[in-house]
Coordinates of all heavy atoms in Angstrom, one line a residue:
V65 N 13.1 2.6 16.3 CA 13.5 2.3 17.7 C 12.3 2.6 18.6 O 12.0 1.8 19.6 CB 14.7 3.1 18.1 CG1 15.0 3.0 19.6 CG2 15.9 2.7 17.4
L66 N 11.6 3.7 18.4 CA 10.4 4.0 19.2 C 9.3 3.0 19.1 O 8.6 2.7 20.1 CB 9.9 5.4 18.8 CG 10.8 6.6 19.1 CD1 10.2 7.9 18.6 CD2 11.0 6.7 20.7
L67 N 9.1 2.4 17.9 CA 8.0 1.5 17.7 C 8.4 0.1 17.7 O 7.6 -0.8 17.3 CB 7.3 1.9 16.4 CG 6.7 3.3 16.3 CD1 6.2 3.6 14.9 CD2 5.6 3.4 17.3
Q68 N 9.6 -0.2 18.0 CA 10.1 -1.6 18.0 C 9.3 -2.5 18.9 O 9.0 -3.6 18.5 CB 11.6 -1.6 18.3 CG 12.1 -3.0 18.4 CD 13.4 -3.2 17.6 OE1 14.0 -2.2 17.2 NE2 13.7 -4.4 17.3
P69 N 9.0 -2.1 20.1 CA 8.3 -3.1 21.0 C 6.9 -3.5 20.4 O 6.6 -4.7 20.4 CB 8.1 -2.3 22.3 CG 9.2 -1.3 22.3 CD 9.4 -0.9 20.8
S70 N 6.1 -2.5 19.9 CA 4.8 -2.8 19.4 C 4.9 -3.7 18.1 O 4.1 -4.7 18.0 CB 4.0 -1.6 19.1 OG 4.7 -0.7 18.2
M71 N 5.8 -3.3 17.2 CA 5.9 -4.1 16.0 C 6.4 -5.5 16.2 O 6.0 -6.5 15.6 CB 6.8 -3.4 15.0 CG 6.3 -2.1 14.4 SD 4.8 -2.3 13.5 CE 5.4 -3.3 12.1
K72 N 7.3 -5.6 17.2 CA 7.8 -7.0 17.5 C 6.8 -7.9 18.2 O 6.6 -9.0 17.8 CB 9.0 -6.8 18.5 CG 9.7 -8.1 18.9 CD 10.5 -8.6 17.7 CE 11.3 -9.9 18.0 NZ 11.9 -10.5 16.8
R73 N 6.0 -7.3 19.1 CA 5.0 -8.1 19.7 C 3.8 -8.5 18.8 O 3.3 -9.6 18.9 CB 4.4 -7.4 21.0 CG 5.5 -7.2 22.1 CD 4.9 -6.5 23.3 NE 6.0 -6.3 24.3 CZ 6.2 -5.1 24.8 NH1 5.5 -4.1 24.5 NH2 7.1 -5.0 25.7
L74 N 3.4 -7.6 18.0 CA 2.2 -7.8 17.1 C 2.5 -8.7 15.9 O 1.9 -9.7 15.6 CB 1.6 -6.5 16.7 CG 0.8 -5.7 17.8 CD1 0.4 -4.4 17.2 CD2 -0.3 -6.5 18.3
F75 N 3.6 -8.2 15.1 CA 3.8 -8.9 13.9 C 5.2 -9.5 13.8 O 5.6 -10.0 12.7 CB 3.8 -7.8 12.7 CG 2.4 -7.1 12.7 CD1 2.4 -5.7 13.0 CD2 1.3 -7.7 12.4 CE1 1.2 -5.0 12.9 CE2 0.1 -7.1 12.4 CZ 0.0 -5.7 12.6
N76 N 6.0 -9.6 14.9 CA 7.3 -10.2 14.9 C 8.2 -9.5 13.8 O 8.9 -10.2 13.1 CB 7.2 -11.7 14.6 CG 8.5 -12.4 15.0 OD1 9.3 -11.9 15.8 ND2 8.7 -13.6 14.5
L77 N 8.1 -8.2 13.7 CA 8.9 -7.4 12.8 C 9.6 -6.3 13.5 O 9.2 -5.9 14.6 CB 7.9 -6.7 11.8 CG 7.2 -7.7 10.8 CD1 6.2 -6.9 10.0 CD2 8.2 -8.3 9.8
P78 N 10.8 -5.8 13.0 CA 11.5 -4.8 13.7 C 10.7 -3.4 13.6 O 9.8 -3.3 12.8 CB 12.8 -4.7 12.9 CG 12.5 -5.3 11.5 CD 11.4 -6.3 11.8
G79 N 11.2 -2.5 14.4 CA 10.5 -1.2 14.4 C 10.5 -0.4 13.1 O 9.6 0.3 12.8
E80 N 11.6 -0.6 12.3 CA 11.7 0.1 11.1 C 10.6 -0.3 10.1 O 10.3 0.4 9.1 CB 13.1 -0.2 10.4 CG 14.3 0.4 11.1 CD 14.7 -0.4 12.3 OE1 14.1 -1.5 12.5 OE2 15.7 0.0 13.0
A81 N 10.0 -1.5 10.4 CA 8.9 -1.9 9.5 C 7.7 -1.0 9.5 O 6.9 -1.1 8.6 CB 8.5 -3.4 9.8
V82 N 7.6 -0.2 10.5 CA 6.4 0.7 10.5 C 6.4 1.7 9.4 O 5.3 2.1 8.9 CB 6.3 1.4 11.9 CG1 7.4 2.5 12.0 CG2 4.9 2.0 12.1
M83 N 7.6 2.1 8.9 CA 7.6 3.1 7.8 C 7.0 2.6 6.5 O 6.2 3.3 5.9 CB 9.0 3.6 7.6 CG 9.5 4.5 8.8 SD 8.4 5.9 9.2 CE 8.4 6.7 7.6
P84 N 7.4 1.4 6.0 CA 6.8 0.9 4.8 C 5.3 0.7 5.0 O 4.5 0.9 4.0 CB 7.5 -0.4 4.6 CG 8.8 -0.3 5.2 CD 8.6 0.6 6.4
V85 N 4.8 0.3 6.2 CA 3.4 0.1 6.4 C 2.7 1.5 6.3 O 1.6 1.6 5.6 CB 3.2 -0.5 7.8 CG1 1.7 -0.6 8.1 CG2 3.8 -1.9 7.8
V86 N 3.2 2.5 7.0 CA 2.6 3.8 6.9 C 2.6 4.4 5.5 O 1.5 4.8 5.0 CB 3.3 4.8 7.9 CG1 2.8 6.2 7.7 CG2 3.1 4.4 9.3
I87 N 3.7 4.3 4.8 CA 3.8 4.8 3.4 C 2.9 4.0 2.5 O 2.2 4.6 1.6 CB 5.3 4.8 2.9 CG1 6.1 5.7 3.8 CG2 5.4 5.1 1.5 CD1 5.8 7.1 3.7
G88 N 2.9 2.7 2.6 CA 2.1 1.9 1.7 C 0.6 2.1 2.0 O -0.2 2.1 1.0
W89 N 0.2 2.2 3.2 CA -1.3 2.3 3.5 C -1.8 3.7 3.2 O -3.0 3.9 2.9 CB -1.5 2.0 5.0 CG -1.5 0.5 5.3 CD1 -0.6 -0.4 4.8 CD2 -2.4 -0.2 6.0 NE1 -0.8 -1.6 5.3 CE2 -2.0 -1.6 6.1 CE3 -3.5 0.1 6.8 CZ2 -2.6 -2.6 6.7 CZ3 -4.2 -0.9 7.5 CH2 -3.8 -2.2 7.4
L90 N -0.9 4.7 3.2 CA -1.4 6.1 2.9 C -1.1 6.4 1.4 O -1.9 7.2 0.8 CB -0.6 7.1 3.8 CG -1.0 7.1 5.2 CD1 -0.1 8.2 6.0 CD2 -2.4 7.4 5.5
G91 N -0.1 5.9 0.8 CA 0.2 6.2 -0.5 C -0.3 5.3 -1.6 O -0.5 5.7 -2.7
G92 N -0.6 4.0 -1.2 CA -1.1 3.1 -2.2 C 0.0 2.4 -2.9 O 1.2 2.8 -2.8
Y93 N -0.3 1.2 -3.6 CA 0.7 0.5 -4.2 C 1.3 1.3 -5.4 O 0.5 2.0 -6.1 CB 0.3 -0.9 -4.7 CG -1.1 -1.1 -5.1 CD1 -1.6 -0.6 -6.3 CD2 -2.1 -1.8 -4.3 CE1 -2.9 -0.8 -6.7 CE2 -3.4 -2.0 -4.7 CZ -3.8 -1.5 -5.9 OH -5.1 -1.7 -6.3
P94 N 2.6 1.2 -5.7 CA 3.6 0.3 -5.1 C 4.5 1.1 -4.1 O 5.7 0.7 -3.9 CB 4.4 -0.1 -6.3 CG 4.5 1.1 -7.1 CD 3.1 1.8 -6.9
A95 N 4.0 2.1 -3.4 CA 4.8 2.9 -2.5 C 5.3 2.0 -1.4 O 6.5 2.1 -0.9 CB 4.0 4.0 -1.9
G96 N 4.5 1.0 -0.9 CA 4.9 0.1 0.2 C 6.0 -0.8 -0.3 O 7.0 -1.0 0.5
A97 N 5.9 -1.3 -1.5 CA 7.0 -2.2 -2.0 C 8.3 -1.4 -2.2 O 9.4 -1.9 -1.9 CB 6.6 -2.8 -3.4
E98 N 8.2 -0.1 -2.6 CA 9.4 0.7 -2.7 C 10.1 0.8 -1.4 O 11.3 0.8 -1.2 CB 9.1 2.0 -3.3 CG 8.6 2.0 -4.7 CD 9.8 1.9 -5.7 OE1 10.9 1.9 -5.3 OE2 9.5 1.7 -6.9
A99 N 9.3 1.1 -0.3 CA 9.8 1.3 1.0 C 10.4 0.0 1.6 O 11.5 0.0 2.2 CB 8.7 1.8 1.9
V100 N 9.8 -1.1 1.3 CA 10.3 -2.4 1.8 C 11.7 -2.7 1.1 O 12.6 -3.1 1.7 CB 9.3 -3.5 1.5 CG1 9.9 -4.9 1.8 CG2 8.1 -3.3 2.3
A101 N 11.7 -2.4 -0.2 CA 13.0 -2.7 -0.9 C 14.1 -1.8 -0.4 O 15.3 -2.2 -0.3 CB 12.8 -2.4 -2.4
S102 N 13.8 -0.5 0.0 CA 14.8 0.3 0.5 C 15.4 -0.2 1.9 O 16.6 -0.2 2.1 CB 14.2 1.8 0.7 OG 13.9 2.3 -0.5
L103 N 14.4 -0.7 2.7 CA 14.9 -1.2 4.0 C 15.7 -2.5 3.8 O 16.7 -2.7 4.5 CB 13.7 -1.5 4.9 CG 12.9 -0.3 5.4 CD1 11.8 -0.8 6.3 CD2 13.8 0.7 6.1
R104 N 15.3 -3.3 2.8 CA 16.0 -4.6 2.6 C 17.4 -4.3 2.1 O 18.4 -5.0 2.4 CB 15.2 -5.5 1.6 CG 15.9 -6.8 1.4 CD 15.9 -7.7 2.6 NE 16.7 -8.9 2.5 CZ 17.8 -9.2 3.2 NH1 18.2 -8.4 4.1 NH2 18.5 -10.3 3.0
K105 N 17.6 -3.3 1.2 CA 18.9 -3.0 0.6 C 19.8 -2.5 1.7 O 21.0 -2.6 1.6 CB 18.7 -2.0 -0.5 CG 18.1 -2.6 -1.8 CD 17.9 -1.6 -2.9 CE 17.2 -2.2 -4.1 NZ 16.9 -1.1 -5.1
R106 N 19.2 -1.8 2.7 CA 20.0 -1.3 3.8 C 20.2 -2.3 4.9 O 20.7 -2.0 5.9 CB 19.3 0.0 4.3 CG 19.4 1.2 3.4 CD 18.6 2.3 3.9 NE 18.8 3.6 3.2 CZ 18.2 3.9 2.1 NH1 17.4 3.0 1.5 NH2 18.5 5.0 1.5
E107 N 19.6 -3.5 4.7 CA 19.7 -4.6 5.6 C 19.1 -4.3 7.0 O 19.6 -4.7 8.0 CB 21.2 -5.1 5.8 CG 21.8 -5.6 4.5 CD 23.2 -6.2 4.7 OE1 23.7 -6.0 5.8 OE2 23.7 -6.8 3.7
L108 N 18.1 -3.4 7.0 CA 17.3 -3.1 8.2 C 16.3 -4.2 8.5 O 15.8 -4.3 9.6 CB 16.7 -1.8 8.1 CG 17.6 -0.6 7.9 CD1 16.8 0.7 7.8 CD2 18.5 -0.5 9.1
V109 N 16.0 -5.1 7.5 CA 15.1 -6.2 7.7 C 15.8 -7.4 7.0 O 16.5 -7.2 6.0 CB 13.7 -6.0 7.2 CG1 13.0 -4.9 8.0 CG2 13.7 -5.6 5.7
N110 N 15.6 -8.6 7.6 CA 16.1 -9.8 6.9 C 15.1 -10.2 5.8 O 14.1 -9.6 5.6 CB 16.4 -10.9 7.9 CG 15.2 -11.3 8.7 OD1 14.1 -11.3 8.2 ND2 15.4 -11.6 9.9
R111 N 15.5 -11.3 5.1 CA 14.6 -11.7 4.0 C 13.2 -12.2 4.4 O 12.2 -11.8 3.8 CB 15.3 -12.9 3.2 CG 14.5 -13.4 2.0 CD 15.2 -14.5 1.3 NE 14.5 -14.9 0.1 CZ 14.8 -15.9 -0.7 NH1 15.9 -16.6 -0.4 NH2 14.0 -16.2 -1.7
S112 N 13.1 -12.9 5.5 CA 11.8 -13.4 6.0 C 11.0 -12.2 6.4 O 9.8 -12.2 6.1 CB 12.0 -14.4 7.1 OG 10.8 -14.8 7.6
Q113 N 11.6 -11.3 7.1 CA 10.8 -10.1 7.5 C 10.4 -9.3 6.4 O 9.3 -8.8 6.3 CB 11.6 -9.3 8.5 CG 11.9 -10.0 9.9 CD 12.9 -9.3 10.7 OE1 13.7 -8.4 10.2 NE2 13.0 -9.6 12.0
G114 N 11.3 -9.1 5.4 CA 11.0 -8.3 4.2 C 9.9 -9.0 3.4 O 9.0 -8.3 2.8
Q115 N 9.8 -10.3 3.3 CA 8.8 -11.0 2.6 C 7.4 -10.7 3.2 O 6.4 -10.4 2.5 CB 9.1 -12.5 2.5 CG 8.4 -13.2 1.3 CD 9.1 -12.9 0.0 OE1 10.3 -13.0 -0.1 NE2 8.3 -12.4 -0.9
R116 N 7.3 -10.8 4.5 CA 6.0 -10.6 5.2 C 5.7 -9.1 5.2 O 4.5 -8.8 5.1 CB 6.1 -11.1 6.6 CG 6.2 -12.6 6.7 CD 6.1 -13.2 8.1 NE 7.3 -12.9 8.9 CZ 7.4 -12.1 9.9 NH1 6.3 -11.5 10.4 NH2 8.5 -11.9 10.6
L117 N 6.7 -8.3 5.3 CA 6.4 -6.8 5.3 C 6.0 -6.4 3.9 O 5.1 -5.5 3.8 CB 7.7 -6.1 5.7 CG 7.6 -4.6 5.8 CD1 6.5 -4.2 6.8 CD2 9.0 -4.0 6.1
L118 N 6.5 -7.0 2.8 CA 6.0 -6.7 1.5 C 4.5 -7.0 1.3 O 3.8 -6.2 0.7 CB 6.9 -7.5 0.5 CG 6.5 -7.3 -1.0 CD1 6.7 -5.9 -1.4 CD2 7.3 -8.2 -1.9
A119 N 4.1 -8.1 1.9 CA 2.7 -8.5 1.8 C 1.8 -7.5 2.6 O 0.7 -7.2 2.1 CB 2.5 -9.9 2.2
L120 N 2.3 -7.0 3.7 CA 1.5 -6.1 4.5 C 1.5 -4.7 4.0 O 0.4 -4.0 4.1 CB 2.1 -6.1 6.0 CG 1.4 -5.2 7.0 CD1 -0.1 -5.6 7.2 CD2 2.1 -5.2 8.3
A121 N 2.5 -4.2 3.4 CA 2.6 -2.8 3.0 C 2.1 -2.6 1.6 O 1.9 -1.4 1.3 CB 4.1 -2.4 3.0
H122 N 1.8 -3.6 0.8 CA 1.2 -3.4 -0.5 C -0.3 -3.2 -0.4 O -1.1 -4.2 -0.4 CB 1.6 -4.6 -1.4 CG 1.3 -4.4 -2.8 ND1 2.1 -3.7 -3.7 CD2 0.2 -4.8 -3.6 CE1 1.6 -3.7 -4.9 NE2 0.5 -4.3 -4.9
M123 N -0.7 -1.9 -0.4 CA -2.2 -1.6 -0.1 C -2.7 -0.6 -1.1 O -1.9 0.2 -1.7 CB -2.3 -1.0 1.3 CG -2.2 -2.1 2.4 SD -3.7 -3.1 2.4 CE -2.9 -4.6 3.1
P124 N -4.0 -0.6 -1.4 CA -4.5 0.4 -2.3 C -4.6 1.8 -1.6 O -4.6 1.8 -0.4 CB -5.9 -0.1 -2.7 CG -6.3 -1.0 -1.5 CD -5.0 -1.6 -1.1
N125 N -4.7 2.8 -2.4 CA -4.7 4.2 -1.9 C -6.0 4.4 -1.1 O -7.1 4.1 -1.6 CB -4.7 5.2 -3.0 CG -4.4 6.6 -2.6 OD1 -5.2 7.1 -1.8 ND2 -3.3 7.2 -3.0
P126 N -6.0 4.8 0.2 CA -7.2 5.0 0.9 C -8.1 6.1 0.4 O -9.3 5.9 0.5 CB -6.7 5.4 2.3 CG -5.3 5.9 2.1 CD -4.8 5.2 0.9

Side-chain angles (χ1 to χ4, degrees):
V65 173
L66 291 175
L67 298 173
Q68 176 126 21
S70 58
M71 292 298 295
K72 184 68 175 178
R73 293 183 184 128
L74 287 177
F75 304 115
N76 197 20
L77 291 171
E80 291 83 0
V82 72
M83 290 306 302
V85 174
V86 172
I87 296 297
W89 284 45
L90 290 180
Y93 35 70
E98 293 282 355
V100 174
S102 298
L103 293 185
R104 182 66 189 119
K105 290 177 181 178
R106 290 171 170 82
E107 297 184 354
L108 297 177
V109 295
N110 58 37
R111 182 180 181 183
S112 176
Q113 293 170 345
Q115 204 72 55
R116 291 185 290 118
L117 183 58
L118 177 63
L120 177 63
H122 190 80
M123 286 288 152
N125 193 300

